[in-house]
Amino acid sequence: MNILLIKLPQDLSSVFHIMPPLGLGYLSSSVKAIGVHVEIIDCLQRNISYEDLIKIISQSNPNVIGFSCYTHDLYQVKLISAHIKKYIPKIEYIVVG
């Protein structure tokens, strides 16, 4: 199984401070402990656009994608999930806050 955990890109003009995705880190550690391959993509830290994120997801072909999602991210999570579902129809999603 291959799990991809994602902190979405954000408009930096509206961000007061940048925090690492600690929740995704905790989740990753727990899942790795049972032998599952996990990768975290922090789009803010790596300066990844939505277009680049779609390419990365398509290339890594994960079984499960987890999004770090707050209320202001929900619309983008829905859009990107629908887009990815076209390329990887059997993919499963988890959304964590």
Side-chain angles (χ1 to χ4, degrees):
M1 178 170 287
N2 184 16
I3 298 177
L4 193 58
L5 301 176
I6 300 169
K7 181 175 181 179
L8 293 171
Q10 287 182 320
D11 176 13
L12 293 178
S13 66
S14 65
V15 176
F16 297 108
H17 62 285
I18 298 174
M19 298 278 297
L22 295 176
L24 295 182
Y26 293 139
L27 181 58
S28 174
S29 294
S30 297
V31 175
K32 282 180 179 178
I34 60 171
V36 176
H37 178 264
V38 181
E39 181 181 354
I40 297 175
I41 297 176
D42 183 348
C43 293
L44 285 176
Q45 190 255 344
R46 292 172 52 185
N47 197 26
I48 296 172
S49 68
Y50 281 102
E51 293 80 18
D52 291 339
L53 180 59
I54 298 286
K55 291 176 189 172
I56 291 168
I57 292 170
S58 297
Q59 290 170 352
S60 67
N61 197 25
N63 304 100
V64 177
I65 293 178
F67 292 102
S68 176
C69 179
Y70 297 99
T71 304
H72 63 273
D73 297 319
L74 191 54
Y75 180 72
Q76 294 299 329
V77 167
K78 286 181 180 182
L79 285 178
I80 201 165
S81 298
H83 190 77
I84 292 301
K85 200 74 158 172
K86 294 175 189 175
Y87 299 102
I88 311 172
K90 295 185 185 236
I91 196 156
E92 298 290 330
Y93 296 100
I94 57 173
V95 180
V96 296

